[in-house]
Amino acid sequence: MDINARNIATPVADAPTTQPVSVPAPVAGRFAPSPSGRMHLGNVFSCLCSWLSARSQGGSIVLRIEDLDDRCKRPELAAQLIDDLAWLGLEWDEGPYYQHDRLDLYESALRRLQDAGLTYPCFCTRAELHAASAPHASDGTPIYRGACRGLSAEEVARRSALRAPATRLRVPAVDDLADDVVEFVDRTYGAQCEALATECGDFLVRRSDGVFAYQLAVVVDDAAMGVTEVVRGCDLLGSTPRQIYLQHLLGLPTPHYAHIPLLMSPDGRRLSKRDRDLDLGELRARFGTPEALLGWLAGQTGIAPDATPRTAEQLVEHFSWDVIRAHRENITVTAE
Ligand code: GLU
């Protein structure tokens, strides 16, 4: 596995056996959208790359709706998302699975980490965590300095009576004998390396409101669903070392990772959900057919040589990671 294991906590007991390396698993990609709003062009592009990559290797796709967070508990938005993917012709082979149906799995993974003494309750408030002086990790979350790491049992009991704690996972301490880093090779962005202790800190596996953290749920689900290839927006590149560390602790296989460049407007702005004209409702109305939209997007992003209307299936022969890699610093999209 792509992890420098020196001085990193050993995996917890009862780890499931992984596939022997000599038997390559069939490629399985996934869509893992959060139904927090309508899909926008960036989501479409990530899903398209995920689909094209899997299909170009004869692989399959799993659809998982990531609806743990309250703002994602919107069945009508999940239904819309599923309809949008079907309209685009990005067919999936398994699912949809819903994370809200899978809480037992997250609970048992968390229990294994807890039983191995790798977690602790954290009472820090949002304001304390986001104090102006707090340095931030690459994904914008504050680096946790371990304020609650060494609380006595009495202190934990006293504070628990006042407010419910979150749960954090201990990351290995850096010492001068070993640089404890997680290393992996991203298919788009190349070799990556993060020292969890200094660049991330102990991270949340469960929030104080009881919601399982994204990092834990995604790791449990990707393994349970046999995902071998994670293709997603590069805003999640910084989460990957945490996920690989959790896989290591839980004895789960590490999939391949490929992060997709964010789409930019010609004035250098990142396209986002705020660009209403790029949400899929507007785009469906404007382009009329999935072929017109996908062909245009493929032409804009360099996947296809021109903007000829094409189905997702017809784009498979054009797809190559070299193109995505060549544009990794900047993919500019000019709205028609
Ligand atoms: N659910 C996340 C999102 O929609 C993606 C998670 C992932 O791909 O790992 O941003």
Side-chain angles (χ1 to χ4, degrees):
M1 108 176 248
D2 298 314
I3 188 166
N4 177 340
R6 282 177 301 160
N7 202 28
I8 281 182
T10 42
V12 297
D14 305 327
T17 46
T18 51
Q19 296 223 6
V21 279
S22 55
V23 182
V27 172
R30 39 75 144 187
F31 301 145
S34 303
S36 58
R38 193 84 190 248
M39 281 176 98
H40 61 97
L41 194 63
N43 304 130
V44 175
F45 185 51
S46 286
C47 288
L48 178 64
C49 291
S50 191
W51 193 91
L52 291 174
S53 179
R55 288 289 189 254
S56 64
Q57 299 170 82
S60 58
I61 288 276
V62 180
L63 171 58
R64 173 172 84 233
I65 305 293
E66 302 210 323
D67 58 356
L68 288 182
D69 199 281
D70 269 352
R71 79 198 153 81
C72 296
K73 291 202 171 73
R74 310 264 304 268
E76 71 290 355
L77 284 179
Q80 179 66 262
L81 228 149
I82 291 169
D83 181 69
D84 282 340
L85 287 168
W87 182 83
L88 287 163
L90 300 178
E91 291 142 12
W92 54 96
D93 306 278
E94 232 189 277
Y97 296 107
Y98 292 83
Q99 286 192 324
H100 74 250
D101 289 334
R102 305 172 57 77
L103 303 183
D104 290 354
L105 288 168
Y106 314 138
E107 186 76 58
S108 82
L110 179 59
R111 200 163 322 115
R112 288 176 55 210
L113 298 170
Q114 278 167 334
D115 290 349
L118 293 169
T119 64
Y120 61 88
C122 172
F123 299 90
C124 294
T125 62
R126 186 174 281 270
E128 284 163 346
L129 295 172
H130 288 265
S133 58
H136 285 67
S138 57
D139 66 352
T141 52
I143 297 174
Y144 190 62
R145 290 300 183 204
C148 293
R149 208 177 214 234
L151 296 181
S152 65
E154 295 74 38
E155 191 59 19
V156 168
R158 192 185 69 76
R159 294 197 196 189
S160 297
L162 302 174
R163 69 189 298 257
T167 307
R168 281 186 191 273
L169 181 77
R170 291 173 197 277
V171 302
V174 165
D175 63 29
D176 44 8
L177 295 175
D179 48 337
D180 294 295
V181 293
V182 176
E183 293 172 340
F184 67 103
V185 177
D186 185 79
R187 201 163 272 172
T188 310
Y189 291 94
Q192 305 290 312
C193 151
E194 182 171 293
L196 288 171
T198 52
E199 295 176 67
C200 168
D202 298 340
F203 59 90
L204 288 182
V205 281
R206 191 172 208 170
R207 301 187 332 204
S208 61
D209 60 4
V211 174
F212 291 101
Y214 154 71
Q215 311 291 359
L216 181 72
V218 86
V219 159
V220 168
D221 282 344
D222 282 339
M225 295 170 188
V227 169
T228 64
E229 182 176 272
V230 171
V231 177
R232 60 188 177 194
C234 74
D235 49 335
L236 290 169
L237 186 60
S239 286
T240 307
R242 275 169 263 181
Q243 295 175 15
I244 293 175
Y245 185 57
L246 276 167
Q247 288 152 4
H248 169 72
L249 292 179
L250 294 167
L252 303 173
T254 294
H256 294 287
Y257 287 95
H259 289 82
I260 300 298
L262 299 177
L263 302 181
M264 313 290 278
S265 65
D267 61 4
R269 222 168 24 85
R270 172 183 158 184
L271 297 179
S272 74
K273 285 188 177 168
R274 281 195 305 267
D275 294 284
R276 289 270 311 138
D277 54 334
L278 295 177
D279 96 18
L280 201 45
E282 298 288 326
L283 291 168
R284 279 173 70 158
R286 179 150 38 116
F287 285 89
T289 66
E291 293 79 12
L293 171 57
L294 291 180
W296 170 78
L297 181 59
Q300 287 276 315
T301 54
I303 289 180
D306 53 50
T308 306
R310 289 180 169 95
T311 61
E313 202 64 57
Q314 288 166 336
L315 288 170
V316 171
E317 63 173 301
H318 295 282
F319 181 75
S320 126
W321 280 108
D322 292 342
V323 171
I324 307 294
R325 219 172 284 126
H327 294 91
R328 67 187 181 184
E329 298 312 332
N330 196 358
I331 297 192
T332 303
V333 170
T334 313
E336 283 205 313

